[in-house]
Amino acid sequence: MSVIITNIIIGSDHRGFELKEYIIKNKNKVIQNDLHPQNKEMIDIGCYDNKEIDFTDIVFDMIDKWAHDSIGILICKTGIGMSICANRFPNIRGAICKNSDDIISARSHNNANVLILGAQNDNDEIIEMINLFIDTEFRNDAKYSRRVDKISQIK
């Protein structure tokens, strides 16, 4: 059974600030295309300007706001730092995605709940990618469920 997503927690470090602002500016294109737009809230956890900030602080802020019905969007220069940090926390399955194929696999096979983007990746289809991330459901068949369960057991 899939969870209805009610919170999109979005954050970036200084390198991802411009892309985060673009996504927030266009959040209605994300939320209105969703199956349950009336229940959705986009929560901006920073950063709020181009001043240097550690990506770890943004991940910590996401974790503080995390709920079972959340998804996250994290952005740094490459996505690598955010990915390493975010995936240290229980129940977070962050995936660096550069295209639609990555997103479909991350969501349907691995039940990813945090989309991690690299700001240096030039992608004109970022809003479509976010919508695909939200709309793609986990394929809850035995092999994928078994694998996600094993990941959840890692301490």
Side-chain angles (χ1 to χ4, degrees), residues 6-7 14 20 46 53 60 62 65 92 111-113 127 142 148:
T6 62
N7 295 315
H14 56 286
K20 178 186 70 86
I53 184 173
F60 299 154
M62 181 189 74
K65 303 241 183 297
I92 299 297
N111 203 14
N113 53 12
I127 299 300
V148 170

Side-chain angles (χ1 to χ4, degrees), residues 7 10 26 31 41 102:
N7 295 315
I10 185 168
N26 289 284
I31 293 173
E41 179 183 5
D102 290 351

Side-chain angles (χ1 to χ4, degrees), residues 45-98:
I45 56 169
C47 70
Y48 303 108
D49 56 36
N50 284 318
K51 285 199 317 196
E52 187 171 333
I53 184 173
D54 294 338
F55 62 82
T56 51
D57 296 338
I58 299 301
V59 174
F60 299 154
D61 289 345
M62 181 189 74
I63 297 303
D64 287 343
K65 303 241 183 297
W66 194 260
H68 78 283
D69 56 356
S70 298
I71 65 161
I73 301 171
L74 295 173
I75 310 160
C76 66
K77 180 181 176 184
T78 63
I80 295 169
M82 290 284 196
S83 177
I84 291 169
C85 187
N87 283 305
R88 300 281 300 175
F89 291 89
N91 302 316
I92 299 297
R93 291 174 304 281
I96 300 174
C97 296
K98 297 181 181 182

Side-chain angles (χ1 to χ4, degrees), residues 1-8 34-36 39-40 66-71 91 93 107 111-113 133-140:
M1 178 177 227
S2 62
V3 173
I4 295 175
I5 299 163
T6 62
N7 295 315
I8 302 169
D34 188 49
L35 298 175
H36 307 282
N39 299 327
K40 192 105 37 269
W66 194 260
H68 78 283
D69 56 356
S70 298
I71 65 161
N91 302 316
R93 291 174 304 281
R107 289 287 284 165
N111 203 14
N113 53 12
F133 189 82
I134 292 169
D135 293 339
T136 301
E137 292 191 16
F138 178 54
R139 286 179 48 192
N140 202 9

Side-chain angles (χ1 to χ4, degrees), residues 90-149:
N91 302 316
I92 299 297
R93 291 174 304 281
I96 300 174
C97 296
K98 297 181 181 182
N99 56 51
S100 297
D101 290 338
D102 290 351
I103 288 172
I104 291 168
S105 180
R107 289 287 284 165
S108 66
H109 296 185
N110 301 297
N111 203 14
N113 53 12
V114 179
L115 174 60
I116 302 173
L117 301 169
Q120 71 182 15
N121 298 324
D122 183 31
N123 194 318
D124 296 330
E125 300 173 350
I126 200 70
I127 299 300
E128 292 83 4
M129 288 175 61
I130 293 168
N131 282 323
L132 183 61
F133 189 82
I134 292 169
D135 293 339
T136 301
E137 292 191 16
F138 178 54
R139 286 179 48 192
N140 202 9
D141 58 8
K143 75 177 177 182
Y144 299 125
S145 293
R146 181 181 67 247
R147 293 171 184 168
V148 170
D149 288 344

